[in-house]
């Protein structure tokens, strides 16, 4: 069993940015579990499965072979052998991931892979249920959050930077909706583990958050 750092929190809290930086400083591998749920969502979308069709999601998800490779330190998600990284970051895939990840069959399908990665490597793993379900004995657990307005504004600036038209209020509404789904599902909902340390990044820079977590990691 390797050293485990679990980072959970809502959409857009900066988990992946921070987790990547921590992984680099510690020379651990970074495991982005959200990307695995996104790859599953992509598979379901490609198979025209409706997010709320519990039976169809359960039947179809078992045919998605999702694996992880690392190339120059970057996590590559393979869906039935295809590198799907370029397809994962759309709003449609994110929302489908949030909906389909409530299905216990989907979670069961991805859980084994996540635990195996943590058994074989020192990891920084981010997601929604890492500290509560996947790595309950992680040496360090962080719950990283920020206000919905701050999270929406970060996303807004990112999209504007790429010249993608967007609306701040709409982005915030989408974030609130996704948080609600992720926190209120029956299986492995998003919540702070009892022994996780809360870091609210609303008024912090990336460097400040990283430094704060590195102090905790030691
Ligand atoms: O972190 P993200 O936005 O890439 O995650 C996409 C969705 O996947 C998220 O809304 C809920 C789901 N997810 C999950 O249920 N459990 C995880 N450990 C990671 C993500």
């Amino acid at each position: 069993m390797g050293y485990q750092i679990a980072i959970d929190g809502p959409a857009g809290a900066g988990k992946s940015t921070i987790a990547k930086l921590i992984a680099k400083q510690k020379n651990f591998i970074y495991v982005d579990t959200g990307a695995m749920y996104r790859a599953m969502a992509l598979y379901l979308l490609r198979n025209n499965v409706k997010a709320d069709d519990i039976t169809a999601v359960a039947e179809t998800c078992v045919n998605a072979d999702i694996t992880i490779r690392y190339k120059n330190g970057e996590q590559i998600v393979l869906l039935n052998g295809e590198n799907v990284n370029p397809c994962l970051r759309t709003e449609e895939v994110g929302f489908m991931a949030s909906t389909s990840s409530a299905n216990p069959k989907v979670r069961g399908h991805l859980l084994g892979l996540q635990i195996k990665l943590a058994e074989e490597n020192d990891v920084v793993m981010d997601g929604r249920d890492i500290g509560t379900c996947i790595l309950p004995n992680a040496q360090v657990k962080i719950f990283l959050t920020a206000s919905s307005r701050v999270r929406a504004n970060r996303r807004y600036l990112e999209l504007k930077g790429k010249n993608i038209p967007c609306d701040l209020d709409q982005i915030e509404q989408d974030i609130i909706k996704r948080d609600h789904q992720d926190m209120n599902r029956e299986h492995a909902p998003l919540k702070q583990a009892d022994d996780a340390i809360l870091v609210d990044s609303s008024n912090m820079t990336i460097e400040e958050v990283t430094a704060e977590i590195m102090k905790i990691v030691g």
Side-chain angles (χ1 to χ4, degrees):
M1 198 54 94
Y3 194 96
Q4 302 168 349
I5 301 172
I7 304 182
D8 290 301
K15 298 185 297 294
S16 65
T17 306
I18 303 297
K20 260 186 225 163
L21 289 168
I22 305 279
K24 205 163 176 197
Q25 291 194 29
K26 295 297 290 181
N27 205 19
F28 289 6
I29 66 161
Y30 165 51
V31 183
D32 174 358
T33 63
M36 298 179 192
Y37 285 98
R38 284 172 183 266
M40 176 62 84
L42 182 67
Y43 184 74
L44 296 169
L45 285 169
R46 283 179 174 175
N47 284 280
N48 297 316
V49 173
K50 295 245 177 333
D52 53 1
D53 186 339
I54 297 167
T55 315
V57 169
E59 273 172 17
T60 310
C61 78
V62 292
N63 299 319
D65 176 34
I66 293 168
T67 52
I68 298 283
R69 293 273 174 286
Y70 288 89
K71 202 171 159 194
N72 304 324
E74 194 200 348
Q75 173 182 294
I76 311 264
V77 186
L78 300 176
L79 169 60
N80 294 330
E82 174 194 349
N83 173 359
V84 289
N85 273 30
C87 314
L88 300 183
R89 313 276 5 140
T90 67
E91 206 45 55
E92 185 191 22
V93 169
F95 200 70
M96 181 64 163
S98 173
T99 310
S100 57
S101 63
N103 191 305
K105 271 265 166 34
V106 167
R107 305 203 72 79
H109 195 65
L110 296 176
L111 169 140
L113 174 60
Q114 292 164 10
I115 291 177
K116 189 158 174 276
L117 282 164
E119 275 173 0
E120 295 174 351
N121 305 277
D122 294 325
V123 291
V124 182
M125 191 176 283
D126 78 1
R128 303 292 187 287
D129 62 336
I130 310 306
T132 50
C133 298
I134 303 295
L135 306 177
N137 299 316
Q139 285 85 345
V140 174
K141 294 184 189 177
I142 306 290
F143 193 82
L144 182 62
T145 190
S147 70
S148 60
R149 195 64 175 176
V150 165
R151 289 184 283 131
N153 199 42
R154 287 177 187 158
R155 178 85 182 131
Y156 174 77
L157 294 175
E158 188 187 323
L159 292 171
K160 285 272 293 213
K162 292 181 188 160
N163 282 325
I164 300 172
C166 54
D167 176 78
L168 181 59
D169 289 332
Q170 184 59 52
I171 295 173
E172 188 179 11
Q173 285 317 307
D174 290 347
I175 280 183
I176 291 169
K177 193 168 167 200
R178 193 133 77 85
D179 287 353
H180 183 82
Q181 274 198 172
D182 293 347
M183 291 188 298
N184 291 288
R185 67 184 178 214
E186 188 183 347
H187 303 279
L190 167 65
K191 79 173 195 335
Q192 184 178 342
D194 292 339
D195 51 352
I197 296 170
L198 177 70
V199 177
D200 184 333
S201 74
S202 299
N203 298 305
M204 292 168 85
T205 63
I206 292 170
E207 292 73 26
E208 286 168 344
V209 177
T210 310
E212 169 106 12
I213 296 179
M214 281 303 287
K215 254 198 289 172
I216 299 163
V217 171

